[in-house]
């Protein structure tokens, strides 16, 4: 089993910044992909940013140029979110892939106008 834990959410005004962290633990050998999704009220969960199996980064069009995904190693990643907008309000979920997908519990990000 893999445990995934996010931290760093909160309330921020539009134009502000937040940094989310995510750490994987447990059976973490051969984790090859980690990334971030989000789910706003009444909407489907959507990709925000992720590392690919080849080590590249992929971003949703809505966050390009504002969000940056980074990592310390294969088991800890971050999401730097700048120029936040009210439409970025959502629960942000970190995930890890290792012969299956493991999700964190989510962290709330609320952007006020």
């Amino acid at each position: 089993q893999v445990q995934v834990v996010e931290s760093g959410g909160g309330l921020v005004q539009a134009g502000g910044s937040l940094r989310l962290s995510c750490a994987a633990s447990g059976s973490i050998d051969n984790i090859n992909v980690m990334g971030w999704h989000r789910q706003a009220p009444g909407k489907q969960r959507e990709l925000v940013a992720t590392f690919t199996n080849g080590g590249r980064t992929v971003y949703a069009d809505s966050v390009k140029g504002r969000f940056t995904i980074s990592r310390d190693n294969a088991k800890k990643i971050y999401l730097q979110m700048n120029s936040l907008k009210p439409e970025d309000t959502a629960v942000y979920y970190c995930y890890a892939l290792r012969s299956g997908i493991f999700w964190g519990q989510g962290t709330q990000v609320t952007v006020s106008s």
Side-chain angles (χ1 to χ4, degrees):
Q1 285 291 331
V2 175
Q3 293 80 45
V4 177
V5 179
E6 309 97 335
S7 61
L11 173 64
V12 65
Q13 288 188 331
S17 299
L18 282 174
R19 189 191 194 210
L20 306 183
S21 300
C22 172
S25 61
S27 300
I28 57 176
D29 291 341
N30 300 318
I31 288 177
N32 47 21
V33 174
M34 290 185 71
W36 295 93
H37 277 59
R38 68 186 180 187
Q39 188 166 18
K43 295 187 178 181
Q44 290 188 330
R45 193 173 295 192
E46 62 177 1
L47 173 71
V48 177
T50 188
F51 287 100
T52 69
N53 197 25
R56 293 181 298 110
T57 55
V58 175
Y59 293 92
D61 287 343
S62 60
V63 306
K64 284 180 180 177
R66 300 188 298 122
F67 291 11
T68 302
I69 189 171
S70 62
R71 59 187 173 190
D72 280 347
N73 50 52
K75 313 304 182 286
K76 191 166 186 180
I77 65 170
Y78 305 92
L79 186 68
Q80 178 66 43
M81 305 185 294
N82 298 328
S83 302
L84 282 161
K85 304 175 181 180
E87 52 263 44
D88 294 318
T89 295
V91 178
Y92 284 70
Y93 296 92
C94 179
Y95 71 94
L97 291 177
R98 177 190 176 274
S99 63
I101 187 166
F102 298 89
W103 293 97
Q105 80 287 352
T107 186
Q108 177 70 45
V109 172
T110 302
V111 184
S112 63
S113 57

